[in-house]
Amino acid sequence: MKICVMPGDGIGREIVAQALRVLTKVGQKYGKTFETEEALIGGSAIDATGGPLPDETVKLCKAADAVLLGAVGGPKWDTIDPAIRPERGLLGIRKELGLFANLRPASLFPELKHACFLRPDIVAKGIDLLVVRELTGGAYFGTPKGIEMRDGERVGFNNMIYSEHEIRRIAKVGFEAAKKRRKKLCSVDKANVLDVSRLWREVVIEVSRDYPDIELSHMYVDNAAMQLVRDPSQFDVIVTENLFGDILSDEASVITGSIGMLPSASVGAGRPGLFEPIHGSAPDIAGQNKANPLATILSVAMLLRYTADEKTGDMAAEAAAIEAAVQKTLQQGLRTGDIREEGCKLVGCVEMADAVLANL
Ligand code: IPM
Ligand code: MG
């Protein structure tokens, strides 16, 4: 199996390095070989080539079975021309690879319930949800967009636009995901105000006719933001458009305790998928061996699970082994700074990965 690896910026390099150690180990254990090739993206690509997504990177990604990404961005590139910001690299590769579905699971590790920001009685009801975020449409990509002069003042605009085929295919991903889980799908929109949301809701309802066993509900995004902190246990799968999904998935992740724990998968119609932690490049702690590598390690587990097919063989066992090793490491009381807890052992990025390897 060929994996294109893009460490990116900030803590990206250190967390990806640890995740690759885990990948190698799991390969040894299960007799699989993973061929990895590194590619540039984001700020480090800007520094090396003048742009955040070199052609060479797109080529390497397209030739791979899966892509593993660290994180992009940092203050160094904050004042750069917006057209070549590091984030453009990430948006660009999602588009190039046709990765229209972003799966962001947020569940509470029982070991980390003390790190959870919600009241214990709310946490006791459990958090185990999946945000299915549309990733290649909406206001992120819609045109026209820009900043221009109108009547003597600057006007900024973007276009939240969806065609029905885009809504239909992401709705299907939501329903299929719900089928494998607790069979509940909540579609989040702003249909009381936005036309694009009215179409969203109509199409989701049309798709639901093929999924009579799934309990479909609709929620306005402002209410969803509130319900996520009031009672996250009510959610199984949430399906929503790009910008709403960006915001709600951060919220869903942090209520589990730390954004440093959660992996994500971006998938499209075929290969490769792209797998990355949902957190950013954390420039404030970069290069200090403080970052939590677990979200990236868990992204490797997702990579194995979602890339498995006739060519690579079923890799559910490999994925489960990684997840179990992570859980055991938490049980042993090891914590990085973001999930630090009294009575637990504070460790760095490398030591955390050492423990996962030992548990593997
Ligand atoms: C994410 C990030 C990205 C996004 C940024 C870095 C472009 O916030 O993956 O959620 O907004 O999609
Ligand atoms: Mg985000």
Side-chain angles (χ1 to χ4, degrees), residues 108 113 116 118-129 182 184 227-235:
L108 186 71
K113 62 173 187 283
C116 182
L118 302 179
R119 275 199 332 251
D121 59 311
I122 300 175
V123 180
K125 296 204 249 174
I127 304 174
D128 179 12
L129 60 93
R182 300 194 304 279
K184 275 170 59 178
Q227 295 300 333
L228 265 175
V229 288
R230 206 188 64 87
D231 179 17
S233 75
Q234 70 187 285
F235 295 108

Side-chain angles (χ1 to χ4, degrees), residues 3-56:
I3 302 176
C4 180
V5 178
M6 304 195 287
D9 310 317
I11 58 169
R13 185 156 292 280
E14 41 200 303
I15 54 179
V16 162
Q18 298 314 313
L20 289 179
R21 288 174 69 206
V22 171
L23 180 74
T24 306
K25 176 89 183 185
V26 95
Q28 283 163 1
K29 196 171 141 113
Y30 289 87
K32 300 252 159 83
T33 38
F34 302 106
E35 207 180 289
T36 57
E37 195 149 19
E38 202 175 300
L40 288 167
I41 193 166
S44 48
I46 297 173
D47 291 349
T49 70
L53 186 63
D55 293 344
E56 178 67 10

Side-chain angles (χ1 to χ4, degrees), residues 253-269:
S253 73
V254 82
I255 59 175
T256 68
S258 171
I259 196 168
M261 289 299 301
L262 300 183
S264 82
S266 302
V267 295

Side-chain angles (χ1 to χ4, degrees), residues 85-102:
R85 276 184 72 98
E87 289 80 359
R88 289 269 135 219
L90 184 53
L91 299 181
I93 196 67
R94 287 171 179 168
K95 196 72 168 180
E96 283 284 348
L97 300 178
L99 306 172
F100 64 85
N102 185 210

Side-chain angles (χ1 to χ4, degrees), residues 28 39 50 58 71 87 94 117 134 171 180 210 221 254 267 275 278 281 312 328:
Q28 283 163 1
V58 176
E87 289 80 359
R94 287 171 179 168
F117 290 100
E134 201 291 326
K180 295 193 198 114
D210 295 333
V221 63
V254 82
V267 295
F275 302 83
I278 93 155
S281 59
T312 51
K328 186 154 178 215

Side-chain angles (χ1 to χ4, degrees), residues 94 104 133 140 245-247 249-250 259 278:
R94 287 171 179 168
R104 299 190 159 183
R133 167 188 177 194
Y140 271 55
D246 179 41
I247 299 167
S249 62
D250 267 30
I259 196 168
I278 93 155

